[in-house]
Amino acid sequence: MNARDNCIFCKIVAGQLPSRKVYEDDDMVAFHDIHPKAPVHLLVVPKSHVDSLADCGAGEGEVLARMLLKVPELARAAGCTNGFRTVINTGPEGGQVIYHLHLHVLGGPRHEWKGTLP
């Protein structure tokens, strides 16, 4: 068994675990974070497993670009009309907890954001 067999995001991508999806295409899936830190807290995850941004190479460039370009559309659809924050945690000192590259999209009134941000 390899690390990807136990990857929670790989299991969500494969439909083995439930999620509240807001978007899916051939390359990525976006869903609500189960531990939101803001009124809007989405995760955008590539379907192909790569541990972190530090592990990306030229082969991931296209999907990374597509993910970033999709974020404003997802944020608007979720009601973020006055802006949003996009975060990629990378490695243990960067706050990464799940080792499958993912983008956090956070929005909503700042006074409603909770605790430490991702």
Side-chain angles (χ1 to χ4, degrees):
M1 183 179 343
N2 65 42
R4 293 176 191 175
D5 293 334
N6 288 322
C7 174
I8 190 169
F9 290 161
C10 286
K11 289 179 179 183
I12 289 171
V13 165
Q16 297 169 345
L17 289 176
S19 66
R20 291 179 35 220
K21 290 181 187 173
V22 296
Y23 179 80
E24 182 173 11
D25 66 21
D26 291 341
D27 297 318
M28 71 184 99
V29 63
F31 51 90
H32 292 273
D33 193 302
I34 62 170
H35 300 292
K37 300 294 185 183
V40 172
H41 189 167
L42 305 175
L43 300 175
V44 184
V45 177
K47 286 187 171 182
S48 60
H49 183 96
V50 60
D51 285 347
S52 74
L53 186 60
D55 298 305
C56 288
E60 287 78 34
E62 187 174 324
V63 71
L64 285 170
R66 290 190 68 246
M67 288 169 61
L68 285 171
L69 292 171
K70 182 56 72 174
V71 167
E73 177 185 329
L74 296 171
R76 280 190 301 273
C80 299
T81 57
N82 286 328
F84 57 89
R85 182 176 183 183
T86 306
V87 178
I88 301 174
N89 298 325
T90 305
E93 290 185 16
Q96 187 173 7
V97 176
I98 297 173
Y99 282 84
H100 182 127
L101 174 68
H102 56 286
L103 302 170
H104 293 265
V105 181
L106 301 115
R110 291 282 298 189
H111 68 277
E112 295 181 22
W113 291 31
K114 302 172 192 166
T116 305
L117 294 177

